[in-house]
């Protein structure tokens, strides 16, 4: 058993030991909400103006704060877009697309084929299809934002919506940033990569439940996973480097880095806390910081109310619909 706050406190300390200081972007988002013109300010480009980076300025860290602030601002629109555009069947269940590059060639709508497939194949198809579904929704969100930006540009009046302004500032910041250009990232690729990581962790939670508590029924597992979300959220507060190293050390991250593999039985990330909820094990935490890296914000989705919960709701509902818990229990 583990205490529920062990991981969060250990993770924060490990970041500090690696020389990293957390910068909350919540106050910057509040400033934008009150004063949308702040989007065009030089302060925002320098990391939000009020952040503790003035003492030791770093261009890459400032770019991270600016980009993650703008993403978090635009993710409220993404959250609402996903919730409203999620395809549901007549039973209210998520309709999954055929994963285009899946090696298995199974249509998730073919329930007989899914039931007959080995567990690792079924899990791979569901994970792959979930990522592909959200990729399409993310593309639609980005297209709507770019269309809105172009609409105001074409008007030529100088007027612009806050969302279009944030899209413009985000795009130009990414284009001008050596940090993001080195990685080849744009708004779409950052969001899809983060989405895949979130989906991977949500599926891993689902798959961990029967490993930690054998012989429960699907309803009990579903309840456990949903009630445990707050225990796993601290992962989203991490620096990217610390997150990746934790996932690798704990067995969450597969050798090929793809989010389509079943959680291994020997994983060490998920344990039970004193209340019987799933929480994260602090032991695999690995200190890591890039040269010159001093500040981190955590994932933009952490600052978007209800966003991480929405992804878990999608994954958990798919798991129940496809009888995943029963298959996992017999693993």
């Amino acid at each position: 058993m583990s205490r529920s706050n062990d991981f969060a406190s250990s993770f924060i300390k490990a970041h500090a030991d690696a020389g990293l200081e957390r910068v909350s972007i919540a106050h910057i988002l509040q400033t934008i909400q009150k004063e949308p013109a702040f989007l065009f300010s030089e302060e925002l480009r320098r990391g939000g103006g009020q952040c503790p980076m003035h003492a030791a300025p770093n261009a890459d860290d400032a770019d991270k704060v600016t980009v993650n602030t703008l993403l978090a601002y635009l993710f409220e629109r993404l959250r609402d877009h996903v919730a409203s555009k999620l395809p549901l069947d007549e039973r209210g269940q998520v309709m999954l697309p055929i994963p285009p590059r899946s090696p298995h060639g199974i249509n998730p709508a073919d329930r007989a084929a899914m039931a007959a497939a080995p567990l690792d194949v079924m899990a791979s198809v569901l994970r792959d299809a979930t990522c592909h579904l959200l990729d399409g929704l993310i593309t639609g969100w980005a297209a709507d934002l770019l269309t809105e930006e172009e609409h105001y540009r074409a008007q030529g009046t100088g007027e612009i919506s806050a969302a279009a302004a944030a899209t413009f500032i985000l795009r130009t910041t990414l284009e001008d940033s050596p940090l993001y250009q080195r990685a080849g990232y744009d708004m779409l690729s950052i969001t899809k990569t983060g989405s895949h990581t979130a989906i991977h962790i949500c599926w891993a939670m689902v798959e961990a439940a029967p490993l930690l508590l054998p012989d429960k029924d699907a309803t009990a597992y579903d309840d456990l996973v949903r009630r445990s979300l707050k225990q796993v959220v601290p992962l989203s507060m991490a620096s990217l480097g610390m997150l990746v190293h934790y996932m690798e050390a704990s067995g969450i991250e597969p050798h090929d880095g793809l989010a389509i593999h079943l959680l291994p039985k020997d994983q060490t990330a998920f344990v039970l806390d004193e209340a019987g909820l799933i929480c994260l094990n602090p032991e695999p935490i690995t200190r890591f910081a890039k040269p010159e890296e001093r500040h981190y914000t955590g994932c933009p989705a952490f600052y978007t109310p209800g966003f991480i919960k929405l992804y878990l709701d999608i994954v958990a509902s798919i798991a129940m619909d496809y009888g995943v818990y029963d298959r996992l229990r017999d693993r």
Side-chain angles (χ1 to χ4, degrees), residues 240-250 284-289:
L240 181 59
M242 292 278 279
L243 170 62
V244 170
H245 277 71
Y246 181 81
M247 291 173 68
E248 289 175 345
S250 64
I285 292 174
T286 306
R287 293 196 298 272
F288 174 83

Side-chain angles (χ1 to χ4, degrees), residues 93-114:
Q93 299 299 324
V94 177
M95 297 170 63
L96 292 172
I98 302 173
R101 289 186 288 274
S102 172
H104 307 297
I106 299 176
N107 183 346
D110 187 342
R111 297 304 181 110
M114 291 291 285

Side-chain angles (χ1 to χ4, degrees), residues 1-324:
M1 293 291 180
S2 175
R3 291 195 302 274
S4 59
N5 63 346
D6 281 354
F7 180 83
S9 58
S10 297
F11 213 24
I12 292 170
K13 182 179 184 303
H15 278 80
D17 291 344
L20 296 172
E21 182 179 3
R22 182 166 180 264
V23 175
S24 173
I25 60 175
H27 68 282
I28 312 176
L29 291 167
Q30 290 170 0
T31 300
I32 294 171
Q33 293 286 359
K34 293 176 184 175
E35 307 168 31
F38 186 72
L39 287 164
F40 293 101
S41 70
E42 186 59 31
E43 278 188 292
L44 180 61
R45 295 264 191 174
R46 293 201 307 265
Q50 304 172 55
C51 297
M53 287 183 283
H54 293 296
N58 177 291
D60 284 357
D61 281 358
D63 285 349
K64 280 190 298 186
V65 173
T66 302
V67 166
N68 286 342
T69 297
L70 293 167
L71 284 170
Y73 181 76
L74 293 170
F75 277 2
E76 292 206 18
R77 180 111 151 222
L78 175 57
R79 176 201 60 205
D80 295 345
H81 181 87
V82 170
S84 64
K85 301 293 185 181
L86 194 68
L88 304 176
D89 63 19
E90 65 278 0
R91 298 173 300 127
Q93 299 299 324
V94 177
M95 297 170 63
L96 292 172
I98 302 173
R101 289 186 288 274
S102 172
H104 307 297
I106 299 176
N107 183 346
D110 187 342
R111 297 304 181 110
M114 291 291 285
L119 175 59
D120 62 334
V121 171
M122 178 190 186
S124 175
V125 172
L126 289 176
R127 282 166 161 266
D128 203 354
T130 309
C131 287
H132 185 58
L133 170 64
L134 288 166
D135 277 357
L137 293 169
I138 290 167
T139 298
W141 158 80
D144 287 349
L145 287 172
L146 293 173
T147 298
E148 185 171 326
E149 182 193 341
E150 186 57 37
H151 165 75
Y152 283 102
R153 182 181 292 110
Q155 282 188 330
T157 62
E159 294 183 1
I160 191 169
S161 68
T167 306
F168 169 74
I169 299 298
L170 174 58
R171 183 167 48 77
T172 53
T173 301
L174 289 169
E175 290 170 354
D176 296 340
S177 168
L179 171 66
Y180 289 97
Q181 285 307 300
R182 286 196 300 269
Y185 277 136
D186 58 18
M187 179 173 78
L188 205 54
S189 60
I190 292 173
T191 304
K192 287 185 178 181
T193 299
S195 176
H196 290 185
T197 301
I199 290 300
H200 182 44
I201 293 170
C202 288
W203 272 114
M205 265 188 78
V206 162
E207 294 159 5
L211 289 176
L212 300 174
L213 277 177
D215 303 324
K216 300 291 182 181
D217 63 22
T219 301
Y221 289 133
D222 180 68
D223 177 65
L224 172 64
V225 166
R226 292 175 186 274
R227 288 190 297 117
S228 299
L229 174 61
K230 62 182 181 292
Q231 313 284 81
V232 180
V233 163
L235 265 182
S236 66
M237 297 168 61
S239 70
L240 181 59
M242 292 278 279
L243 170 62
V244 170
H245 277 71
Y246 181 81
M247 291 173 68
E248 289 175 345
S250 64
I252 298 178
E253 182 76 1
H255 66 281
D256 59 7
L258 298 178
I260 59 172
H261 300 289
L262 191 67
L263 182 72
K265 288 183 179 180
D266 61 356
Q267 66 86 29
T268 58
F270 300 102
V271 292
L272 294 176
D273 71 2
E274 73 277 9
L277 296 177
I278 299 170
C279 69
L280 294 163
N281 178 11
E283 290 183 11
I285 292 174
T286 306
R287 293 196 298 272
F288 174 83
K290 293 179 181 178
E292 306 303 320
E293 184 181 24
R294 295 292 177 266
H295 301 92
Y296 69 101
T297 66
C299 176
F302 172 77
Y303 298 91
T304 307
F307 197 9
I308 297 174
K309 181 181 181 297
L310 173 62
Y311 271 30
L312 181 64
D313 284 346
I314 291 169
V315 168
S317 66
I318 293 169
M320 284 292 284
D321 187 32
Y322 280 83
V324 170

